[in-house]
Amino acid sequence: MTRMENSPTAAGSGASATQAFRASARDGSGSASPERVSAVVTEILRGVHRTIREQQVSYPEFQAAKQWLIEVGEGGEWPLLLDVFVEHEVEAVAAATQQGTKGSILGPYYLPDAEKLPAVTELPMRDGEPGTPLVFTGQVRDVGGDPVPGAELDIWHADREGYYSGFAPHIPDGNLRGVVVCDGQGRFEISTIEPAPYRIPTDGPTGKLIESAGWHPWRPAHLHLLVRATGFRPITTQLYFAGGDWLDSDVAEATKPELILEPVPQPDGRNRAEYDFVLEPA
Ligand code: DHB
Ligand code: FE
């Protein structure tokens, strides 16, 4: 994992997300044939051309768009921008052939190689980590209903301010991230805190676009998960909180009704939320 030395501004999290993307093997470069490139890019350009004609786009607007695109690149915001406005459609295509637990977008803030943790565990957190304590518990099963022993839950989420470790310099590396190894019955019990809703950084080009268009920059509070086990198709998903703000208007359009937790307050002041995951064979 790279240590991020950027500030918790749009430029900071954007640049960090670009670094994280480059460090991962997820870029898939070279995987498309010329026919595929031609088919997809031709369609994209057709959409752009049609919009220009229908909206009667002017030269000043065209130049403003170029300027803005340059800023997206300079700010390292391509991962943020694409994950917010485009990834949900790619996920929908993948979801069409997927059984079991519904998927959702990966987003720009996944980091590989988080600390391995046992089935009953607490995520790494600061002393006095602010936020309502959450006990997140459940079981991983296969599509036939049998437990999946030793399944892994790679989990990461924002803190109570909506910031992710690795992308904001005031948070220690690895905070609120872990790879939880489920027990022999595929069960887990993870103690953490409830994250806050996430706001797209408003001071960068993505934020500028959102403001110029009069949209809102919020995602509902969420847990990110990659659920995997040998012999099974991994699931990338997110879980949301019933009654939370922005659930019905996620800027990233990545919520699904099947992915909503219903935390129940416990006498000890913690919230307890249960969720079972279902994996399909690879
Ligand atoms: C973005 C941030 C997230 O936390 C997320 O889950 C998806 C997208 C973003 O800023 O692009
Ligand atoms: Fe997120």
Side-chain angles (χ1 to χ4, degrees):
M1 191 195 307
T2 345
R3 233 208 97 69
M4 304 303 169
E5 260 131 42
N6 306 298
S7 66
T9 57
S13 47
S16 299
T18 294
Q19 278 174 36
F21 180 78
R22 286 208 163 123
S24 75
R26 284 181 280 119
D27 63 319
S29 49
S31 61
S33 67
E35 293 76 18
R36 183 79 178 144
V37 172
S38 175
V40 173
V41 177
T42 298
E43 272 306 300
I44 292 170
L45 291 175
R46 262 196 205 136
V48 173
H49 300 161
R50 196 188 58 234
T51 305
I52 290 169
R53 289 213 181 232
E54 285 178 3
Q55 296 294 324
Q56 295 283 289
V57 172
S58 67
Y59 261 101
E61 287 171 335
F62 177 52
Q63 303 299 15
K66 268 197 229 170
Q67 181 60 36
W68 178 80
L69 286 164
I70 289 166
E71 285 168 21
V72 172
E74 284 176 350
E77 282 202 18
W78 281 112
L80 267 66
L81 184 83
L82 292 170
D83 293 355
V84 162
F85 292 119
V86 179
E87 190 185 352
H88 60 87
E89 286 303 316
V90 182
E91 197 284 320
V93 171
T97 63
Q98 195 173 333
Q99 290 177 278
T101 301
K102 297 287 180 196
S104 185
I105 65 172
L106 178 72
Y109 297 142
Y110 174 67
L111 290 172
D113 307 321
E115 188 182 340
K116 279 227 173 169
L117 302 166
V120 177
T121 191
E122 178 176 281
L123 293 189
M125 61 177 77
R126 294 163 285 188
D127 287 343
E129 181 76 39
T132 305
L134 173 71
V135 183
F136 171 51
T137 180
Q139 187 182 32
V140 182
R141 294 194 289 265
D142 65 20
V143 285
D146 289 326
V148 179
E152 287 187 355
L153 257 61
D154 200 336
I155 179 169
W156 69 104
H157 66 83
D159 71 0
R160 202 189 48 182
E161 310 287 303
Y163 290 115
Y164 286 84
S165 63
F167 300 88
H170 65 290
I171 303 181
D173 280 354
N175 207 61
L176 302 176
R177 293 175 184 272
V179 177
V180 177
V181 183
C182 296
D183 69 12
Q185 287 297 308
R187 294 190 181 279
F188 61 90
E189 184 184 300
I190 302 167
S191 297
T192 181
I193 55 101
E194 288 189 4
Y198 167 86
R199 191 173 72 168
I200 308 289
T202 47
D203 57 329
T206 308
K208 212 158 99 181
L209 167 70
I210 288 169
E211 198 191 335
S212 310
W215 304 333
H216 79 69
W218 292 95
R219 297 213 59 221
H222 54 279
L223 305 177
H224 286 272
L225 292 133
L226 268 163
V227 186
R228 52 183 179 246
T230 310
F232 293 90
R233 180 169 170 176
I235 288 181
T236 302
T237 195
Q238 301 188 22
L239 294 173
Y240 304 90
F241 296 86
D245 290 338
W246 318 111
L247 258 185
D248 297 325
S249 63
D250 180 6
V251 64
E253 297 181 45
T255 63
K256 294 183 185 179
E258 299 87 346
L259 298 177
I260 298 177
L261 295 171
E262 304 215 358
V264 179
Q266 304 295 292
D268 63 7
R270 303 192 295 175
N271 279 349
R272 186 179 172 91
E274 223 175 300
Y275 200 87
D276 294 338
F277 297 93
V278 178
L279 296 181
E280 65 173 325

